Amino acid sequence: MNIEKNQIEQHNDSLISKHQQKLNNLKSEWSHIDIEAVIKKLVDFQIAIPSWALGTGGTRFGRFATGGGEPTNLEQKIEDVGLLHALNNSSGAISLHIPWDIPQNPDQIKSLAASYGLKFDAVNSNTFQDQPGSPVSYKFGSLQHVDKAVRKQAIEHNIEVIKQGVALGSESLTVWLADGSCFPGQLNFRQAFENTLASLQEIYSALPANWKMFVEYKAYEPNFYSTTVGDWGQSLLYANKLGDKAYTLVDLGHHLPNANIEQIVSLLLMEGKLGGFHFNDSKYGDDDLTTGSIKPYQLFLIFNELVEGMDAKGMDHATGLGWMIDASHNVKDPLEDLLQSIEAIMIAYAQALLVDRKALVAAQENNDVVLCQEILQYTFRSDLRAIVAEARLRAGAALAPLNLYRDLACRKTLIGQRGQNTVATGL
Amino acid sequence: MNIEKNQIEQHNDSLISKHQQKLNNLKSEWSHIDIEAVIKKLVDFQIAIPSWALGTGGTRFGRFATGGGEPTNLEQKIEDVGLLHALNNSSGAISLHIPWDIPQNPDQIKSLAASYGLKFDAVNSNTFQDQPGSPVSYKFGSLQHVDKAVRKQAIEHNIEVIKQGVALGSESLTVWLADGSCFPGQLNFRQAFENTLASLQEIYSALPANWKMFVEYKAYEPNFYSTTVGDWGQSLLYANKLGDKAYTLVDLGHHLPNANIEQIVSLLLMEGKLGGFHFNDSKYGDDDLTTGSIKPYQLFLIFNELVEGMDAKGMDHATGLGWMIDASHNVKDPLEDLLQSIEAIMIAYAQALLVDRKALVAAQENNDVVLCQEILQYTFRSDLRAIVAEARLRAGAALAPLNLYRDLACRKTLIGQRGQNTVATGL
Amino acid sequence: MNIEKNQIEQHNDSLISKHQQKLNNLKSEWSHIDIEAVIKKLVDFQIAIPSWALGTGGTRFGRFATGGGEPTNLEQKIEDVGLLHALNNSSGAISLHIPWDIPQNPDQIKSLAASYGLKFDAVNSNTFQDQPGSPVSYKFGSLQHVDKAVRKQAIEHNIEVIKQGVALGSESLTVWLADGSCFPGQLNFRQAFENTLASLQEIYSALPANWKMFVEYKAYEPNFYSTTVGDWGQSLLYANKLGDKAYTLVDLGHHLPNANIEQIVSLLLMEGKLGGFHFNDSKYGDDDLTTGSIKPYQLFLIFNELVEGMDAKGMDHATGLGWMIDASHNVKDPLEDLLQSIEAIMIAYAQALLVDRKALVAAQENNDVVLCQEILQYTFRSDLRAIVAEARLRAGAALAPLNLYRDLACRKTLIGQRGQNTVATGL
Amino acid sequence: MNIEKNQIEQHNDSLISKHQQKLNNLKSEWSHIDIEAVIKKLVDFQIAIPSWALGTGGTRFGRFATGGGEPTNLEQKIEDVGLLHALNNSSGAISLHIPWDIPQNPDQIKSLAASYGLKFDAVNSNTFQDQPGSPVSYKFGSLQHVDKAVRKQAIEHNIEVIKQGVALGSESLTVWLADGSCFPGQLNFRQAFENTLASLQEIYSALPANWKMFVEYKAYEPNFYSTTVGDWGQSLLYANKLGDKAYTLVDLGHHLPNANIEQIVSLLLMEGKLGGFHFNDSKYGDDDLTTGSIKPYQLFLIFNELVEGMDAKGMDHATGLGWMIDASHNVKDPLEDLLQSIEAIMIAYAQALLVDRKALVAAQENNDVVLCQEILQYTFRSDLRAIVAEARLRAGAALAPLNLYRDLACRKTLIGQRGQNTVATGL
């Protein structure tokens, strides 16, 4: 389904006066800040939607019935992301997963995406599952595998994914490896690292000149004893050995309990090796919950480091890193879940932009810990939603995307178009 | 496949002289202990095999190809457990999962099981998945559900499971609930508790007089914010409110990081409310790895409390509690994995039996912490495998079950009989 | 030092117009809510300050130099809490620790406290340290100890603490036990529980009729293997066995990683057994950081359960539970740290009061998980600071307590009065 | 006190026949292994004792009374380590902490140590506490500090520590930094890293040619939000930027929950950047318990990687890395605690030496996960204590060091010599 311009205008009209009032209140409170510059950055900021997060997710205990209307092919997935982007103007990219999303006709797919204002973000390879008819199995790993034939198959798959990405205009490859072990003794850790590195080097050498490779790390799951790219330290080792085009990718849910993710972000930026971000939230492990639903303050603290670190390096916020959501929607309508995630991200980004950085530096120089906290929490406790809404308004999107999505009964329309029992590919 | 008596005898003959030597060494070292009484307890000790752990398991990221020969019906599952029991004489029970294992003809199934020397342990209900054709869904919980119709369906399912169990001679029902929530605000915790309690009461009232109900707890997964029977404290609340036939069931993988499980075991025994045990091992969460593969000392410490606490209550070790394995075999042959788990359990049990309890009590009375540790570790560091093997030998089972399983190429035989691509029901 | 009324008025005058504007904005946004009732509840809400949290804290690695002016006797501690209460009108109680704060003349101390508008909250016993001249040592526990003489000494100390509390008008005893063990085998868990219970029963029987006993639990530290009141389940067992006057006390930092504290709070309220609260924040363990400095959303979720659960029971918010801060100020001025903690608590409480509970119940009944989250986060993302400030204004306290504390150079005054190198008792 | 040669001989004579029998049993079971070579490695293996671990330790909640006879000066500390070394011949080095152990006369101290057969292992600096009279404070960090004067003081202290070490024949400096922050916003992570690096570079440039610098990491405590050398990834970054003489030091207790330490060890060895090891054990955080008292299997797995990785690099086991205990003895006699730790380490080392590495490699090549586990657990479940005892016997030490320590009433003698209420410096 498409959302018409006039539907959005009508929605915005109904909310505009209240919105203006709140915005004016905010502007008067933050008169010392160039709010227009903040709004411009918010308008420019885009978070890619992964093609596998448009359907109902599940766990190893099963997947419950979808709410219906899930996309069953790439075209419909693009349509869904287009719908989100029309609503919030912050989802202007889609990140494809190969082999779930191999386009039959790349040019046609590109045109379709462009018609929604969408670009193709990082492409993602899959060596954590066996595909029907594959000669060899990834049961004991892919790029790390003791058997050269398995490594070769996995390398070739990644190179194939790059090719698919080139055809669509992507400029980065995300390599998430499930490789690791379930039991002590199963792996020689060093050999696993060396095999993985050699495999990554072959893939790296197939990267086009303008491409980046993101090496994602994860502490555990689906392997439950060791993971071969298990933490940021290991990912950075690989990225440094690979070369300038290789970067570390941070997924919020891929850490041991209590990890200080914002510090990791800061250090990776310092090293020039932070490549991108997968947003979600979690309480226990890689729970893949809606971004900001569990630890919104942590999300703000991470953005605080991102803004500080990117500014220190002179990086463009919108294009300097790869921004993506990576979540699983087990009990929510996937599109509503994504709208909530993006709203949380935009709020955290706005909060980070409004931190009084000069005062913070001064307080840090004085070891005035109380004041440092006051400065951060002053912004966090402020209600910046009107600024985020204004950014949407300026870009022609909806003041209240989730409300409009519900008011327009989008899911019902999608069910009408696609049926009740459709199931999207994904986890 | 069946293992013939003479195959076991031949295997044992080949190992007997070395075994006798080791056993004699042990006997001379532990001459102050009634080793014969220990061996008798080991012979009597039986660990139930869950019907869903006979096939290759997986994660939400997928399930890799089976090694082949998996059981595809209840008869074959019983055959598999029979095979294990023939090898080690410690797996004399099977725990069924309904609806995966509904017997067409209970009497015939009972006879089949009896022919392998197997009993039917606890029956397990399933309200964490929707069954095809079910009128209502468990997506938002079962016994906790805000909708009475869902609770009713779940209650009736549990009562049906009891009936199936009665027909087979089971005497306990294990209720594991995935009920909980994924996001703050989703549930009213109190109402969820009260609904769950009321539902459990209805099931409880359908229990035959000689039955027990095991209320299993789990910290998280598949719900990632709250679980309605989330820890031993909650389970005990339910069990106390339900009555004398209700007990808490401990699964080793169902705790928050760093939990002291052995203390929980001790306190539940003190309260007369420990009902049973699900064995497995884990490093991160409910990893469902082979028992004893990650933390064998913890397993010993747990058995140390079990033995101490059961003896203090005058409970029979073999029948006082429900003993079961609950693991997932993602990268190992399921039957080999189970043989390893049982071996680890038997060793831990033997170690606990040999702890010098009189000396330990004296050291505790003196707060001689160094000596307390020496006493426990003296036993743990001893090599008691020959005693465990002797228990098998006495019972007509194999001295080295895993070796015999491999020597007889059991998996190959099973593949020959059942085919390569069979898939067992389960997770 | 005392803060004069006119100092506060002058401060408030300087901020009043901006404050009024913000408050009016809030009122117009929340016109459907009885804001006056909310403000009244905020005015009434008092959080006790522990007498041991008025000085610089430390770790086992040492304690760094104080910022000076720390209170060195009970009178000065009361003066400090009086200062806080004058600033924020939310710290109208002090919680004493015996033997650190034994009053020479209870009546005089009571009068002094009353002159600041302060009451005496729970009294706290100490059996985690040996006092000079004590006949027996708590090295291996107190109420759990294998030696009756040690238990007797600990029991008598607690009874003495009750007496001290009676003289001051306290009405509750908080028992936090460090009892536990550092190594496997050190303790018989059951005997430790039973000894502790018997000891608590003796103390319980010495409670005046109108008193409560709070049994605090803690997962670990200073014992690093087991703790004898280790989690809410154990605490509840004790409280239930003790009787109607015994309750569980929740300290936010006393849990295993990832524990769902808000669910624990809800269930304890359901059972009528939540007695009180120790506020602080933490990232790793019992870090005792400023409340709300790490996980402000969790703090809100806890208050959300408190408000919901107390209302369901018809409990008075201000008097139904014991509210206290329990933190350690290692790198901040203790009084500033406390002002920040109280501000965070008041904001969280205000947020909880403003949750649209009717809408939340409806959304829960519909399993509309997206909407449940929207409702909670709508309030959390709102800026309610003006309402909290208004409550202070109404009560004659400062609109911006921390600012006024700094503007008046309170610490400098205290140093002038007490000296630079004073050290308060505490951890 | 000194233990006389004939005391040891008498002790050994009383145990020798039983010992020989056990050893012979072991030798016959492991006849395919060169047990003599293993024994030689065990004889050569020495674990340094830290000078601060000879007295009773405590927590932030206090330190309980010592058992008496604690060393009060460096000479007595050396005497204590000499006592341990006489008993077990595995503690032939002492690691000093400056400023707690500044020798008045280095040559005399060297001679004294030599008389016990002791060397001086790594020297340790202290910038986590302020020393009386220090011009500036480490309250807000040392090498990371925003104030250059503080950094300078900390740098000079480290250089002074090197000088002390040179005088005694040490060849390495261990830098453990408590530097970090307690609250979000307190630090600019990047600046803290850069300051720390620049400071370390100055210290590094003062290292003698044959020295190593060990950069120790720790996840948290005494800072509870961030630590500036927080994990192995950060430590490795520093070490790589510093140069060839800089290495990472692993302390077993310095990780987030569930970390796979053995994998970290393997990767650091691969990178040629593992410098040394601090042994202890823990259940929750940096609990500093007796090595092997909580997770003996993990200890074995770590040694398994150490042996494999050092052999792969051709490193000498005894001299290739710095081996040290770092524990806190809160409830045990410190010397008994150390004897238990060393015994656990020697057993784990012996187990690792006996792993059938050829079979393991073959099983790994076949992805025979079951067999990999069998191989590791076969050795772990074996009772190798007689081999460890034999290594002691060969070196003139005691077959059962702890028993002899108790039989000789060493603590009583030390109390007689030094008094009951002596307190050793340390934590």
Side-chain angles (χ1 to χ4, degrees), chain D residues 3 19 22 51 69 71 93 96 141 152 178 182 217 227 276-277 291 318 327 337 362:
Chain D
I3 294 188
H19 165 69
K22 283 191 194 177
S51 65
L96 298 194
K152 189 158 177 282
C182 270
Y217 61 89
T227 301
F277 237 83
T291 311
D337 197 331

Side-chain angles (χ1 to χ4, degrees), chain A residues 176-198:
Chain A
W176 171 59
L177 293 176
D179 291 36
S181 66
C182 270
F183 294 97
Q186 179 180 344
L187 273 193
N188 181 302
F189 296 127
R190 190 177 63 251
Q191 187 194 20
F193 186 98
E194 288 167 350
N195 281 346
T196 303
L197 177 61

Side-chain angles (χ1 to χ4, degrees), chain B residues 109-374:
Chain B
I109 286 293
K110 259 176 98 166
S111 298
L112 179 67
S115 75
Y116 291 108
L118 306 181
K119 292 181 180 170
F120 288 91
D121 203 77
V123 280
N124 301 267
S125 57
N126 178 340
T127 62
F128 54 89
Q129 293 179 329
D130 288 339
Q131 303 306 325
S134 285
V136 290
S137 168
Y138 299 133
K139 186 169 189 171
F140 300 104
S142 58
L143 300 185
Q144 76 168 15
H145 203 284
V146 290
D147 181 351
K148 201 175 173 171
V150 181
R151 299 200 297 273
K152 190 158 177 282
Q153 175 178 294
I155 292 164
E156 285 170 357
H157 165 66
N158 273 277
I159 293 172
E160 170 65 22
V161 172
I162 295 171
K163 282 186 196 149
Q164 300 282 356
V166 168
L168 293 167
S170 287
E171 295 182 349
S172 51
L173 169 72
T174 296
V175 181
W176 171 60
L177 294 176
D179 290 37
S181 67
C182 270
F183 294 98
Q186 179 181 343
L187 273 193
N188 181 301
F189 297 127
R190 191 179 60 252
Q191 187 193 20
F193 185 97
E194 288 167 350
N195 282 345
T196 302
L197 177 61
S199 302
L200 285 171
Q201 282 165 333
E202 289 201 46
I203 299 164
Y204 185 89
S205 69
L207 279 181
N210 62 331
W211 273 54
K212 295 178 179 175
M213 177 194 278
F214 298 146
V215 182
E216 190 169 356
Y217 62 89
K218 184 172 185 179
Y220 63 94
E221 196 211 25
N223 271 297
F224 294 114
Y225 172 62
S226 76
T227 302
T228 298
V229 191
D231 61 13
W232 75 277
Q234 290 173 65
S235 171
L236 183 59
L237 268 186
Y238 288 108
N240 278 333
K241 289 172 196 286
L242 286 167
D244 288 349
K245 293 188 280 187
Y247 295 86
T248 292
L249 185 140
V250 176
D251 180 301
L252 291 181
H254 290 192
H255 301 83
L256 292 175
N258 305 336
N260 187 324
I261 303 173
E262 49 270 32
Q263 187 183 15
I264 294 171
V265 163
S266 171
L267 297 181
L268 286 171
L269 278 170
M270 176 184 77
E271 293 293 294
K273 279 299 194 183
L274 181 62
F277 237 83
H278 280 185
F279 291 107
N280 50 55
D281 212 336
S282 56
K283 187 167 175 61
Y284 304 101
D286 189 29
D287 308 338
D288 277 340
L289 302 178
T290 318
T291 311
S293 64
I294 303 290
K295 300 172 193 155
Y297 193 52
Q298 185 195 53
L299 185 65
F300 160 65
L301 294 174
I302 290 169
F303 263 100
N304 185 46
E305 296 305 325
L306 287 167
V307 166
E308 196 277 342
M310 293 175 82
D311 286 350
K313 292 262 175 183
M315 293 164 74
D316 183 88
H317 293 191
T319 60
L321 297 179
W323 308 105
M324 196 178 96
I325 289 174
D326 187 7
S328 182
H329 321 297
N330 304 354
V331 295
K332 288 177 175 173
D333 176 322
L335 295 178
E336 294 190 352
D337 197 331
L338 289 163
L339 287 171
Q340 287 188 310
S341 277
I342 292 165
E343 178 76 3
I345 292 168
M346 296 307 285
I347 289 173
Y349 179 41
Q351 288 166 336
L353 289 171
L354 261 71
V355 166
D356 188 340
R357 227 153 276 286
K358 216 168 141 182
L360 182 61
V361 169
Q364 288 169 342
E365 288 297 322
N366 291 326
N367 290 307
D368 188 343
V369 184
V370 165
L371 187 54
C372 292
Q373 179 177 319
E374 286 293 306

Side-chain angles (χ1 to χ4, degrees), chain C residues 46-50 52 95 121-122 124 174 277-280 322-326 345:
Chain C
Q46 301 297 322
I47 304 128
I49 306 296
W52 61 93
S95 185
D121 203 78
N124 301 267
T174 297
F277 236 83
H278 280 185
F279 291 107
N280 50 55
W323 308 105
M324 197 179 95
I325 288 174
D326 187 6
I345 292 168

